[in-house]
Amino acid sequence: AGLLRSRPAAAETGAESDPTADLYPVPRNEAYQLDRAVTAEELATTYNNFYEFGSSKDVVDEAQALPLRPWTVVFDGMVEEERSVDIDTLIRAMPLEERLYRHRCVEAWSMAVPWSGFPMKALVDYARPLGSAKYVRMESFMDKEVAPGQRASWYPWPYIEGLTVAEATSELAFMVTGIYGKPVPKQNGAPLRLATPWKYGFKSTKSIVRFTFTDRRPVSFWEELQSSEYGFWANVNPEVSHPRWSQATERVLGSGERVKTLLFNGYAEQVAHLYEGMEDERLWA
Ligand code: MTE
């Protein structure tokens, strides 16, 4: 109630003028089925977390200030050769598909979204990391002129996240370029964001400009801010509470219902093997 607002026009979100708009819709990969209804587009594209544009969920208007072109993506660190690529060249080089994924925010709300994009493994292959690289660090755009949230100096900007290379090349890690059969709008992380549906949503970095391969575990934005509450792994686990609230259930956006949260957000079959032998790690927060 009160969350739903009229959908921003395509022109307002930039979807119409997007130079890759001709690529959508992309074929759906039927291997990824949902156990619940797809969230209404109006809701998934207007109820957002994007702290660069403010700490409320209503950042659609503010996010429209983000210029999407030119947009360069850099691959550096432990790679065969450092390289930069224009986003349109990158997107056109990747095998695009649609996947229906659940999304579970650490704040205990959830949605189910048709993302368009490509396996992160294709991006890692493109970057050609050295065998000694263990982690990939992702960096979001930094521009205080357009992002009022970045003027708040108590936050450790830019937004940083990280995965192990093993996670990044596993089957579920997905680079998002579109949503609901169209280019992804700014408020959802255009032109390139991550979806790791077995982890809490804060791992899914938006509006990425840099991928750095490294042998040191990256310290993420939220971890830097509050490491007692947000760690590196952040795998979904209903039995491990956040210090300030339970993670046992989640509020399904748009349904008014609470449902039980599942281990690895229901993706244990695909990802549990990644964490075998890692019981000493703080895997769940
Ligand atoms: N990425 C950046 N750069 N800045 C953010 O504030 N918020 C994260 C994640 N990625 C965030 C971000 C959080 S907490 C969540 S739950 C998801 O984005 C929300 O994605 P959505 O707005 O598309 O639902």
Side-chain angles (χ1 to χ4, degrees), residues 7-18 64 68 182 185-187:
R7 199 185 130 207
E12 191 192 330
T13 64
E16 220 155 54
S17 56
D18 189 297
Q64 302 320 304
L68 295 186
K182 287 170 279 196
K186 297 179 181 189
Q187 63 273 17

Side-chain angles (χ1 to χ4, degrees), residues 44 47-52 103 105-107 109 111 115 140-141 157 159 187-189 193 201-207 222:
Y47 184 86
N48 300 105
N49 272 334
F50 204 166
Y51 275 67
E52 284 85 337
H103 174 95
C105 180
V106 73
E107 299 163 336
W109 55 265
M111 58 180 185
W115 301 116
S140 293
F141 81 97
W157 304 111
Y159 197 96
Q187 63 273 17
N188 291 89
R193 62 92 57 90
F202 66 86
K203 296 293 293 184
S204 334
T205 336
K206 293 178 167 181
S207 306
W222 292 109

Side-chain angles (χ1 to χ4, degrees), residues 25 60 80 88 157 163 174 178 285:
V60 176
E80 279 176 30
D88 298 313
W157 304 111
L163 294 172
F174 196 60

Side-chain angles (χ1 to χ4, degrees), residues 4 17 30 35 56 58 74 92 95 100 105 122 139 143 162 202 228 248 254 265 275:
L4 204 66
S17 56
E30 298 291 347
D35 60 348
S56 86
D58 182 11
V74 176
R92 286 182 189 280
L100 303 178
C105 180
E139 187 178 313
D143 188 346
F202 66 86
S228 59
N265 198 24
Y275 307 101

